[in-house]
């Protein structure tokens, strides 16, 4: 459904009226396309309080394709290396670096602060580095004009593991991601032969792929070079076939809750899977006092239990290849809760628990990363059916004052899926325009 308010604020009379009334003024977001593959302008590289990255950061920033400069009147992106801040007093360097330039950031620009992991042995360093999180989350709510702010925590010594993450965050692909904290391990990235199609030679399976977010995920993975298998329930077979045909993909009609689902998936991919995306999900909304047991059980079974069961079976059987990527779909409902969705929120919070627990063990035992996207208000047929006032609240209650699109979830999933994203593990990234709900 079209966002008429967003269209209104894109006109001169609309801007005047909404400014006079003190209403939100969203800016149309610039997303990736062949015509707009990168940000339009230079990347300003600043340092606050010294650096733990040495000379390893410069080539990684250069790899983003942006012109990296130390001074710029209208930067499209700003990266601040704050890895060397270890004291409360040192935080003044962050203010000194950004205060003079933050107003000059272009519409739809990007700010990325680089920090390091808070130390359990040094509470002064831990306090200073944790302070960066509060700073970035607040900055994301201040800068407006479609701009975003993120914090990336790196292991000391080298910026190389951050290349795929900085390529994503400093590009139009991350248009609806803001106020996020991404913690990277020190794992070396797998090589990428072609950054235009980084998934070339890889096989990906997407559940719930017939329509909506799942179809968008399948489309972006195919665009990035993957051979995609689109899975959905047999009842959606006709729509599933159309989606698969459009992408040159394979359709796999299968109920993911079936006892033999994992075995049938394994049989469909004799060469194994490189990317497994758990996107299938349902809602059966009702307040707990009015919720029959079967509504509770259906949501838990589809959204959580089937994810646990098939993931375990596919890892144990070796169907997910070494260097593989597992991406699950959580939700901000699992972070903040939602009225009438105790079953749905429980299932999505369960997905977050799965990711945090399994990620280090999957990496150590199978060479596989496990991450999750947590969408907020995304413009789909489901949200189009939400009553008008609730729909408008969902759209406006975030730092970007608009709903996201399925492509936004898909682009984040594709970043997780890249071979170079080895250091991105155990992360839950909200795709919500920095929703005012939740952490």
């Amino acid at each position: 459904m079209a966002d008429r308010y967003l269209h209104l604020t894109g006109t001169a009379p609309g801007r005047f009226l909404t400014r006079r009334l003190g209403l939100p003024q969203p800016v149309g977001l610039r997303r990736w396309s062949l015509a707009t593959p990168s940000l339009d302008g230079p990347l300003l590289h600043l340092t606050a309080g010294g650096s733990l990255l040495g000379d390893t950061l410069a080539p990684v920033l250069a790899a983003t394709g942006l012109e990296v400069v130390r001074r710029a009147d209208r930067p499209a992106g700003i990266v601040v290396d704050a890895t060397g801040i270890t004291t409360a007093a040192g935080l003044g360097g962050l203010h000194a670096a950004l205060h003079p330039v933050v107003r000059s950031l272009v519409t739809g620009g990007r700010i990325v602060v680089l920090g390091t992991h808070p130390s359990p042995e040094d509470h002064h360093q831990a306090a200073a580095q944790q302070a960066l999180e509060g700073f970035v989350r607040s900055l994301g709510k201040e800068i407006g004009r479609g701009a975003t702010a993120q914090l990336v925590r790196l292991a000391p010594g080298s910026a190389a593991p951050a290349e795929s993450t900085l390529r994503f965050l400093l590009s139009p692909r991350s248009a609806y991601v803001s106020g996020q904290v991404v913690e990277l391990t020190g794992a070396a990235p797998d090589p990428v032969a072609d950054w235009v199609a980084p998934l070339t030679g890889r096989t990906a399976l997407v559940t719930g792929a017939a329509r909506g977010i799942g179809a968008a995920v399948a489309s972006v993975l195919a665009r990035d070079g993957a051979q995609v298998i689109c899975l959905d329930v047999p009842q959606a077979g006709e729509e599933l076939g159309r989606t698969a045909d459009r992408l040159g993909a394979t359709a796999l009609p299968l109920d993911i809750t079936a006892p033999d689902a994992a075995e049938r998936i394994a049989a469909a991919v004799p060469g194994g899977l490189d990317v497994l995306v758990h996107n299938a999900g349902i809602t059966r909304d009702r307040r707990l006092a009015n919720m029959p047991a079967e509504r509770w059980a259906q949501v838990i079974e589809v959204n959580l239990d089937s994810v646990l069961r098939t993931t375990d079976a596919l890892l144990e059987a070796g169907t997910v290849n070494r260097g593989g990527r597992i991406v699950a779909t959580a939700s901000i409902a699992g972070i903040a809760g939602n009225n009438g969705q105790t079953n749905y929120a429980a299932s999505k919070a369960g997905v977050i628990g799965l990711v945090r627990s399994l990620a280090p063990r999957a990496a150590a035992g199978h060479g596989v990363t496990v991450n999750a996207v947590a969408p907020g208000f995304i413009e789909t047929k489901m949200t189009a059916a939400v009553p008008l006032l609730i729909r408008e609240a969902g759209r406006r209650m975030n730092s970007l004052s608009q709903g996201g699109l399925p492509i936004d979830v898909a682009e984040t999933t594709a970043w997780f899926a890249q071979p170079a994203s080895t250091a991105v593990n155990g992360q839950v990234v909200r795709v919500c325009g920095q929703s005012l709900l939740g952490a």
Side-chain angles (χ1 to χ4, degrees), residues 205-249:
L205 182 139
V206 182
T207 71
R211 63 185 73 83
I213 291 174
V217 170
S219 177
V220 169
L221 296 183
R223 178 204 70 190
D224 285 359
Q227 178 58 51
V228 178
I229 299 169
C230 299
L231 182 152
D232 215 315
V233 292
Q235 300 93 303
E238 185 175 340
E239 198 168 8
L240 178 67
R242 286 198 298 268
T243 298
D245 289 345
R246 174 172 58 85
L247 302 177

Side-chain angles (χ1 to χ4, degrees), residues 30-410:
R30 178 179 177 176
R31 295 176 168 89
W32 184 92
S33 71
L34 289 174
T36 58
S38 64
L39 301 181
D40 188 14
L43 174 63
L44 181 59
H45 176 196
L46 305 174
T47 303
S51 174
L52 301 181
L53 303 174
D55 58 1
T56 66
L57 180 57
V60 172
L61 295 182
T64 64
L66 301 174
E67 178 191 6
V68 183
V69 298
R70 288 291 185 169
R71 290 186 180 182
D73 293 330
R74 297 287 289 162
I78 302 173
V79 170
V80 184
D81 182 354
T83 56
I85 295 179
T86 59
T87 66
L91 291 166
L94 188 61
H95 176 272
L98 277 170
H99 173 70
V101 299
V102 68
R103 284 194 180 97
S104 68
L105 186 70
V106 302
T107 297
R110 305 283 191 268
I111 296 177
V112 177
V113 175
L114 303 179
T116 190
H117 300 272
S119 169
E121 287 82 31
D122 182 348
H123 56 284
H124 289 265
Q125 185 270 1
Q129 286 294 318
Q130 187 64 36
L132 300 181
E133 182 171 337
F135 174 85
V136 165
R137 292 195 193 278
S138 297
L139 184 61
K141 295 178 179 179
E142 290 180 3
I143 49 179
R145 297 180 296 115
T148 65
Q150 329 286 348
L151 172 62
V152 179
R153 290 185 176 136
L154 296 89
S158 175
E163 181 175 347
S164 73
T165 298
L166 292 178
R167 281 176 175 268
F168 171 67
L169 294 178
L170 295 169
S171 79
R173 300 176 194 270
S174 60
Y176 201 60
V177 177
S178 189
Q180 297 304 288
V181 179
V182 180
E183 297 191 353
L184 304 181
T185 71
D190 291 341
V192 174
D194 180 5
W195 279 98
V196 175
L199 297 177
T200 299
R202 297 203 153 204
T203 301
L205 182 139
V206 182
T207 71
R211 63 185 73 83
I213 291 174
V217 170
S219 177
V220 169
L221 296 183
R223 178 204 70 190
D224 285 359
Q227 178 58 51
V228 178
I229 299 169
C230 299
L231 182 152
D232 215 315
V233 292
Q235 300 93 303
E238 185 175 340
E239 198 168 8
L240 178 67
R242 286 198 298 268
T243 298
D245 289 345
R246 174 172 58 85
L247 302 177
T250 300
L252 180 59
L254 174 63
D255 186 341
I256 195 64
T257 67
D260 63 345
E263 289 81 358
R264 292 173 63 183
I265 290 172
V269 287
L273 280 174
D274 302 294
V275 181
L276 170 61
V277 180
H278 288 291
N279 169 77
I282 62 171
T283 58
R284 296 290 184 269
D285 295 353
R286 194 166 289 183
R287 289 189 172 188
L288 183 63
N290 302 317
M291 184 183 296
E294 59 269 20
R295 278 182 175 254
W296 174 276
Q298 288 169 353
V299 170
I300 297 296
E301 170 68 6
V302 174
N303 297 3
L304 180 58
D305 200 26
S306 69
V307 175
L308 289 162
R309 191 167 56 245
T310 55
T311 298
D312 288 349
L314 293 173
L315 282 175
E316 184 177 350
T319 303
V320 182
N321 298 325
R322 292 195 69 82
R325 308 284 183 252
I326 296 175
V327 185
T329 305
S331 168
I332 63 166
I335 297 169
N338 213 1
N339 187 359
Q341 288 195 318
T342 53
N343 50 0
Y344 184 78
S347 70
K348 294 304 184 179
V351 166
I352 294 172
L354 177 164
V355 167
R356 289 174 176 167
S357 175
L358 180 59
R361 292 183 288 113
H366 303 277
V368 172
T369 64
V370 185
N371 297 285
V373 291
F377 187 96
I378 304 297
E379 302 280 0
T380 63
K381 289 182 179 179
M382 184 176 72
T383 54
V386 172
L388 175 63
L389 293 180
I390 298 175
R391 185 169 67 246
E392 283 302 303
R395 283 171 168 160
R396 308 306 160 209
M397 290 179 64
N398 61 73
S399 296
L400 300 176
S401 299
Q402 60 196 284
L405 301 179
I407 187 69
D408 298 318
V409 182

